[in-house]
Structure formats: C-alpha cells, structure tokens
Amino acid sequence: MFTSRVLHGLGAVILAAMLAACAAQDGHRSAGQYTDDTATTARVKAALVQADGVSAADVQVETYGGVVQLSGFVPSQDAATQAVNAARGVDGVKEVRNDIQVRGRQ
C-alpha cells in the first residue's frame, strides 16, 4: 500500500512537471511564477497521496501565487481536515483555501 502511494505521488509530480513544461503563459503570471505554482500543486497532490484517510483522486488542487485552493468531495470532515493539513505542510504554500465538501459514503 505504501509503495502504491509513493508511486502515485511520484506520478503526480512527474505529470505536473511535464504539463508545466508544455503550458503557455496565462498572462497574469510570469513563466517562473507559473512553474512555481505548478510545482507547488504537484507537491500538494503528492502530500495528499501520502495523507491517511484522503483519496487524492477526490481532491482537486489549484495554486495561484502560492495560494492553494482545494475542492472536491470527501466522505468525512476528518478527510477534509487531513487534506487541508497535508496542503499546509507543503513547502511553498502561503495559504490554503478549503472548498472541499463533505459527502458521506454512498
């Protein structure tokens, strides 16, 4: 299970890095800022993979200027709290905005 989480985390980091290399500048950020935000997003996704009780596939991550916005649906408030705590612990995160909604298991 641990190996699977590590591989998923590495895959997320690699994918984000590849997307950053191919992405066009969005007009509001310099290429360096865009790359920094993309790398931060990848690190947050990797942290979510490692977080207990959080399905990284259920939480979307967007970063702008070091401010991370989390959204999506999780089965419990504990999972939402774990996701926020994981994001806050990532280097480069200045603020975390929590837009995660709790939706019980179906």
Side-chain angles (χ1 to χ4, degrees):
M1 177 114 180
F2 176 75
T3 303
S4 176
R5 283 183 174 224
V6 170
L7 290 176
H8 280 103
L10 290 175
V13 170
I14 291 169
L15 178 63
M18 288 173 27
L19 291 174
C22 298
Q25 187 173 338
D26 67 7
H28 297 92
R29 298 177 277 190
S30 71
Q33 290 168 326
Y34 181 85
T35 302
D36 288 347
D37 285 342
T38 302
T40 299
T41 296
R43 288 191 302 270
V44 170
K45 286 299 271 185
L48 292 174
V49 168
Q50 298 298 318
D52 289 332
V54 177
S55 172
D58 294 338
V59 179
Q60 289 73 49
V61 180
E62 293 184 37
T63 307
Y64 191 90
V67 177
V68 172
Q69 180 175 343
L70 303 177
S71 60
F73 297 95
V74 296
S76 68
Q77 184 60 47
D78 185 52
T81 301
Q82 291 290 351
V84 170
N85 289 340
R88 284 186 178 141
V90 171
D91 187 43
V93 174
K94 296 177 182 174
E95 177 184 342
V96 176
R97 294 187 181 160
N98 181 9
D99 291 329
I100 297 172
Q101 296 186 20
V102 176
R103 182 182 290 171
R105 293 197 190 274
Q106 307 209 5

